[in-house]
Amino acid sequence: QASATEVQIGPMRLIQDPIQVLLIFAKEDIQSDGFWWACDRAGYRCNIARTPESALECFLDKHQEIIVIDHRNSRYFDAEAICRSIRATKLSEHTVILAVVPRTSADQEEASVLPLLNAGFDRQFMENSSVTACYNELIQIEHGEVRSQFKLRACNAVFTALDHCQEAVEITSEDHVIQYVNPAFEQMMGYHKGELIGKELTELPKSDKNCADLSDTINTFIKKGKEWQGVYYARRKSGDSIQQHVKITPVIGQGGKIRHFVSLKRLRCTNENNKQLCKSHYDENYTGDNSQSESHSFKCKNRRKDSVDIKSITSQSSDAPSLQTRRYSSMARIHSMTIEAPITKVINIINAAQENSPITVAEALDRVLEILRTTELYSPQLGTKDEDPHTSDLVGGLMTDGLRRLSGNEYVFSKNANLSHSHLSVPNTISDVPPCIAQLLDDEESWDFNIFELEAVTNKRPLVYLGLKVFGRFGVPEFLNCSEATLRAWLQVIEANYHSSNSYHNSTHAADVLHATAFFLGKERVKGSLDHLDEVAALIAATIHDVDHPGRTNSFLCNAGSELAVLYNDTAVLESHHTALAFQLTTKDSKCNIFKNIDRNHYRTLRQAIIDMVLATEMTKHFEHVNKFVNSINKPMASEENSAHSEGSDCECTANIKNFPDNQTLIKRMMIKCADVANPCRPLELCIEWAGRISEEYFAQTDEEKRQGLPVVMPVFDRNTCSIPKSQISFIDYFITDMFDAWDAFAHLPVLMQHLANNYKHWKTLDELKCKSLRLPSENNN
């Protein structure tokens, strides 16, 4: 038996099964035996039929590729009648039928084959009982007509695809005679294919909206065998002009000559006429089994905020009309804009890509455009799997404006808790640094520096002493051209306006953030990426970043209708207040004005950098800052590092960052953000202390919210029920891990990452033991 044969037709790869042959001979003789043994030699499957009825029945059952009919003697059956009866079936379209005719004598004229061809035969075989002669005939038929018919049969699949294609397809000859149009073309142009096929394109009405020389331009391209694509106006049967995206591709055939032109056409929905046509065009193409589509749509709902998964949307055919229409209308709006922002350019690029994309890709890009047009591009949406109450409350308390719906559409806006910033405090003066403090500060460059010991020995005034040491080490007085006395006075004023009554947001926290910032600035890659002005701005921003913090979140202030919330329109309330107050305190008295001796340009640049960094500590933009850092710093640097390491240095990487001020801004934002929430990366004892302090501050806020009748923005922080380990785990999982992974990849911070892992393990252990406090009871007793 012959094996299946691989056949190639264009880019299509086909597998042809072994050939089947039907022999129709009324009587067995040496001729029928010759074909029988020839089939056996070729590996063909062979059947023999003796009557017209059995022949037709066998063919309808087996669908043989080759049929051999004995046409030598009409006494037993009418060979031509049998051939016609087989040809009457649709199955015979690709079957080769051979007539075995009697041998003619030398003096006889050979009969014409036309009667045989008219009866449905493909060829004749002069009787020859030689097995080899029969074998040769069958082999030639297989490699000729059968193989060609097999390829033609495969073309049915291509025509089926064309018939169901949503793009209009038109195929013409090299002389521009229409040979084929698909249903989408009929619908777009309003013609029936019978009115088009066989006509020359020049016979069809033309639109007068095209440029005069457009046809010549197109012909110049395609006659040279080049593809042409562009926008073209066509006239429908109704007389309307429609605008189309057209792609015309020449098809090279026999002799290396152009034999066909294939045109793909798609409506360009930019005017009302086209939009209506677009709608009807896509409605017809997409309306199928609606119940199936709706069911599929339901299944595609993602668990995150009922959003639709992009992979799923590509198969939701029932949504396509609206998506397609929206795509073209949005593109028209964008193209009409005269001022392009970067996001506008991105949307334009996506829209342009959609023009030549398959519908599934176009639909997915529509979803991309939908996401790009939202305001919160970087904030993840919590869904079912993330709905841990601790995480939800932290997000609600730290990343919203506090306007929580209570009932209907009304928001709480109460004047009961009118929080304004405290009366500006007057600092006590200090002279020289006592030896015990100086000795403690000798270790300030270490990450494991104990800020709480400094808090104790300075009587809760660690910011001034640490500030003097750090600012001196980084040459801040020299850069600002101010005296140490002025710097000391400034630090005293700033620290005096931190609330020592706050358990967490006090000057110790400010000193801790200043210490972390200084530590980060000492890392090689950070140092190489920033200028001296950036370093000065970062240290000042860290010092002032929470000045006059009331110990309550932005959400609380907005819900309470505080003066600050009203002043700053419920947007970055505290962060705006910290920066504004810090500059007010600095400039109101020459004795503490550290900026008084720098020129205006330096001051403006420095001020802008400080403001930008403090505002970056506002948590509603947390994911935006982290994602921008990853995409603009981490990823490009990872690709550059390979070449840099091969040269033995990463100087080129940092030099490239220095060349882009936007990158320096991202680094400064990330640095202060990490410094601000570095508590989980401190040694365990310090981490535990900070966890207790922030929890106490949140407990106090919950207590006050209940007293004032305000919305409780973080209900899990109830001092009677809260699990501190769970809250720390949620905070680390949601805010800390990804951010410090990114920062570590840039700054190289193995000590911090090890502390983070140890501390996370500590909280996990407590949580698994159902312990809700900072430590196990046995540890507390010790």
Side-chain angles (χ1 to χ4, degrees):
Q1 291 294 316
S3 59
T5 306
E6 185 175 302
V7 179
Q8 197 85 15
I9 173 170
M12 203 170 179
R13 183 171 155 285
L14 311 170
I15 301 297
Q16 184 176 14
D17 292 329
I19 302 298
Q20 296 189 85
V21 178
L22 173 60
L23 305 179
I24 306 175
F25 285 79
K27 298 286 186 181
E28 182 179 345
D29 62 8
I30 57 173
Q31 184 63 70
S32 65
D33 288 346
F35 275 112
W36 174 270
W37 291 113
C39 288
D40 184 67
R41 182 190 295 183
Y44 299 159
R45 296 169 185 163
C46 186
N47 296 96
I48 298 180
R50 302 297 185 194
T51 66
E53 294 77 19
S54 62
L56 185 60
E57 183 181 350
C58 185
F59 173 69
L60 292 174
D61 180 46
K62 303 289 186 181
H63 314 152
Q64 289 89 350
E65 289 85 5
I66 302 173
I67 299 176
V68 182
I69 303 178
D70 186 2
H71 197 287
R72 295 172 297 170
N73 197 324
S74 61
R75 185 163 39 134
Y76 302 108
F77 51 61
D78 184 345
E80 291 184 13
I82 293 175
C83 183
R84 279 191 289 269
S85 68
I86 292 173
R87 286 295 184 208
T89 66
K90 185 163 180 59
L91 296 171
S92 70
E93 183 182 0
H94 301 293
T95 299
V96 179
I97 304 180
L98 176 69
V100 179
V101 298
R103 183 181 299 277
T104 57
S105 59
D107 57 345
Q108 273 185 308
E109 187 177 349
E110 191 170 329
S112 171
V113 296
L114 282 176
L116 294 177
L117 297 176
N118 291 334
F121 288 100
D122 293 289
R123 57 193 290 157
Q124 70 173 18
F125 175 79
M126 198 78 69
E127 71 176 316
N128 186 337
S129 59
S130 163
V131 173
T132 300
C134 294
Y135 173 80
N136 288 341
E137 182 69 15
L138 293 176
I139 289 294
Q140 289 178 75
I141 292 173
E142 178 195 355
H143 286 271
E145 289 98 320
V146 170
R147 189 71 53 84
S148 297
Q149 292 293 344
F150 181 68
K151 291 179 179 179
L152 285 173
R153 191 162 68 241
C155 290
N156 287 335
V158 178
F159 281 114
T160 300
L162 290 172
D163 285 347
H164 291 85
C165 180
Q166 291 143 16
E167 285 185 310
V169 180
E170 174 190 67
I171 301 175
T172 67
S173 68
E174 67 270 33
D175 299 321
H176 304 295
V177 175
I178 299 173
Q179 298 171 317
Y180 169 85
V181 294
N182 69 343
F185 186 95
E186 294 177 87
Q187 185 184 347
M188 181 188 289
M189 300 304 297
Y191 290 97
H192 184 269
K193 62 183 176 183
E195 302 173 272
L196 296 171
I197 292 175
K199 284 193 174 183
E200 290 188 23
L201 292 179
T202 53
E203 297 178 52
L204 301 178
K206 296 284 186 294
S207 171
D208 55 4
K209 292 191 176 183
N210 292 309
C211 299
D213 60 348
L214 182 58
S215 293
D216 293 336
T217 302
I218 295 172
N219 281 322
T220 301
F221 262 82
I222 63 178
K223 287 293 184 184
K224 291 178 180 177
K226 295 180 180 178
E227 185 179 88
W228 181 87
Q229 60 179 319
V231 177
Y232 183 84
Y233 283 94
R235 188 179 293 275
R236 302 185 76 235
K237 184 179 180 180
S238 62
D240 300 332
S241 285
I242 56 172
Q243 198 175 17
Q244 302 170 326
H245 290 281
V246 179
K247 181 193 288 186
I248 305 174
T249 305
V251 180
I252 307 299
Q254 187 178 5
K257 295 181 179 179
I258 296 170
R259 299 297 181 182
H260 306 277
F261 296 105
V262 176
S263 301
L264 303 181
K265 306 184 179 187
R266 189 170 62 201
L267 282 172
R268 190 166 186 261
C269 299
T270 54
N271 56 50
E272 283 306 314
N273 193 30
N274 270 22
K275 284 177 186 174
Q276 289 301 319
L277 194 57
C278 264
K279 187 176 188 314
S280 64
H281 177 68
Y282 286 103
D283 280 349
E284 280 198 27
N285 278 296
Y286 282 97
T287 50
D289 185 351
N290 284 334
S291 61
Q292 184 180 350
S293 298
E294 286 170 14
S295 168
H296 184 76
S297 176
F298 177 77
K299 290 175 187 173
C300 287
K301 289 291 182 181
N302 193 304
R303 294 170 70 189
R304 285 178 172 256
K305 292 280 186 183
D306 291 334
S307 61
V308 181
D309 181 51
I310 289 177
K311 280 191 284 189
S312 304
I313 201 171
T314 59
S315 60
Q316 292 184 44
S317 58
S318 61
D319 292 340
S322 58
L323 287 170
Q324 195 76 10
T325 305
R326 186 168 71 248
R327 170 151 61 99
Y328 287 117
S329 61
S330 66
M331 195 175 84
R333 288 199 304 275
I334 291 167
H335 281 312
S336 68
M337 296 173 72
T338 55
I339 300 174
E340 281 196 328
I343 189 64
T344 312
K345 292 179 181 177
V346 169
I347 292 173
N348 278 338
I349 292 168
I350 292 173
N351 271 292
Q354 284 182 313
E355 294 307 316
N356 296 310
S357 299
I359 191 66
T360 52
V361 176
E363 289 171 8
L365 290 176
D366 267 307
R367 177 61 180 148
V368 172
L369 289 174
E370 205 173 279
I371 294 168
L372 286 177
R373 292 188 183 103
T374 63
T375 55
E376 296 300 327
L377 292 179
Y378 292 92
S379 297
Q381 296 173 310
L382 286 180
T384 307
K385 81 180 185 69
D386 295 318
E387 282 176 356
D388 163 54
H390 293 79
T391 303
S392 297
D393 283 4
L394 283 167
V395 172
L398 300 177
M399 298 187 67
T400 67
D401 58 10
L403 297 177
R404 295 293 188 90
R405 292 181 187 271
L406 293 187
S407 62
N409 291 319
E410 296 178 359
Y411 290 98
V412 168
F413 191 80
S414 168
K415 289 290 181 181
N416 295 344
N418 234 353
L419 292 183
S420 61
H421 62 266
S422 62
H423 180 71
L424 300 184
S425 304
V426 178
N428 296 320
T429 58
I430 62 170
S431 50
D432 295 326
V433 177
C436 61
I437 297 176
Q439 185 178 357
L440 195 59
L441 288 173
D442 286 342
D443 196 32
E444 59 89 12
E445 291 186 46
S446 165
W447 178 255
D448 293 349
F449 176 72
N450 193 327
I451 197 71
F452 298 117
E453 289 183 2
L454 184 63
E455 177 190 61
V457 298
T458 60
N459 195 25
K460 295 188 176 183
R461 295 161 69 195
L463 187 57
V464 171
Y465 294 101
L466 182 67
L468 285 171
K469 180 74 183 293
V470 169
F471 277 48
R473 178 157 64 89
F474 280 89
V476 175
E478 291 82 0
F479 180 87
L480 296 175
N481 192 24
C482 73
S483 64
E484 185 179 327
T486 303
L487 177 61
R488 186 192 300 260
W490 179 78
L491 286 167
Q492 289 174 321
V493 168
I494 296 299
E495 181 158 43
N497 282 279
Y498 275 94
H499 299 191
S500 60
S501 56
N502 291 342
S503 59
Y504 182 88
H505 286 101
N506 48 42
S507 68
T508 304
H509 167 66
D512 184 61
V513 174
L514 174 62
H515 172 265
T517 302
F519 180 83
F520 294 151
L521 286 172
K523 305 307 289 183
E524 198 61 40
R525 186 171 278 168
V526 179
K527 188 191 304 181
S529 301
L530 302 178
D531 300 318
H532 196 191
L533 183 144
D534 298 313
E535 294 177 350
V536 173
L539 295 172
I540 294 173
T543 304
I544 69 166
H545 85 281
D546 271 334
V547 68
D548 198 38
H549 196 294
R552 300 292 181 264
T553 64
N554 279 332
S555 297
F556 178 95
L557 299 181
C558 294
N559 283 335
S562 72
E563 287 181 5
L564 288 180
V566 173
L567 176 64
Y568 294 110
N569 300 312
D570 293 344
T571 304
V573 175
L574 285 171
E575 293 71 25
S576 299
H577 174 59
H578 301 322
T579 46
L581 178 62
F583 279 99
Q584 289 170 2
L585 292 171
T586 304
T587 57
K588 76 180 182 69
D589 187 345
S590 178
K591 291 179 182 177
C592 66
N593 188 354
I594 56 176
F595 305 125
K596 63 185 176 184
N597 293 328
I598 59 174
D599 66 60
R600 182 180 296 275
N601 289 336
H602 263 134
Y603 173 70
R604 294 293 302 167
T605 305
L606 189 64
R607 172 175 157 80
Q608 191 56 52
I610 294 166
I611 293 171
D612 184 83
M613 291 182 73
V614 176
L615 291 180
T617 64
E618 199 248 331
M619 292 300 285
T620 62
K621 301 286 185 182
H622 172 79
F623 293 100
E624 177 176 345
H625 295 316
V626 173
N627 279 294
K628 283 182 177 178
F629 183 85
V630 169
N631 289 317
S632 299
I633 305 294
N634 287 143
K635 290 181 180 179
M637 185 158 281
S639 62
E640 284 183 34
E641 269 184 344
N642 293 331
S643 57
H645 285 319
S646 66
E647 296 171 12
S649 168
D650 66 352
C651 293
E652 188 177 339
C653 298
T654 52
N656 287 342
I657 290 174
K658 258 190 170 178
N659 292 334
F660 297 99
D662 286 352
N663 286 349
Q664 291 178 306
T665 299
L666 294 178
I667 292 169
K668 288 182 288 184
R669 289 174 182 170
M670 191 71 160
M671 178 169 59
I672 196 168
K673 279 181 63 59
C674 289
D676 190 26
V677 291
N679 311 148
C681 298
R682 292 291 188 183
L684 180 60
E685 287 306 310
L686 305 186
C687 170
I688 291 172
E689 177 65 23
W690 283 122
R693 291 189 177 203
I694 191 63
S695 298
E696 177 54 40
E697 197 164 287
Y698 287 160
F699 293 158
Q701 175 171 309
T702 300
D703 293 342
E704 185 168 356
E705 284 166 338
K706 290 178 179 179
R707 284 196 306 272
Q708 298 280 359
L710 296 171
V712 178
V713 295
M714 294 186 285
V716 296
F717 284 98
D718 183 312
R719 65 177 69 251
N720 299 313
T721 59
C722 180
S723 167
I724 294 177
K726 279 188 186 298
S727 69
Q728 287 296 306
I729 291 167
S730 296
F731 184 67
I732 292 170
D733 282 341
Y734 200 77
F735 292 105
I736 298 300
T737 302
D738 289 345
M739 181 168 71
F740 271 90
D741 279 343
W743 186 234
D744 171 54
F746 175 74
H748 187 58
L749 306 162
V751 174
L752 280 72
M753 301 311 286
Q754 187 58 54
H755 284 320
L756 179 59
N758 295 341
N759 297 338
Y760 189 79
K761 184 178 178 181
H762 169 77
W763 300 122
K764 273 288 191 182
T765 301
L766 293 182
D767 184 46
E768 288 164 4
L769 295 172
K770 309 297 182 188
C771 175
K772 295 185 175 183
S773 59
L774 296 167
R775 308 172 190 272
L776 290 171
S778 56
E779 294 176 11
N780 289 331
N781 294 336
N782 294 335

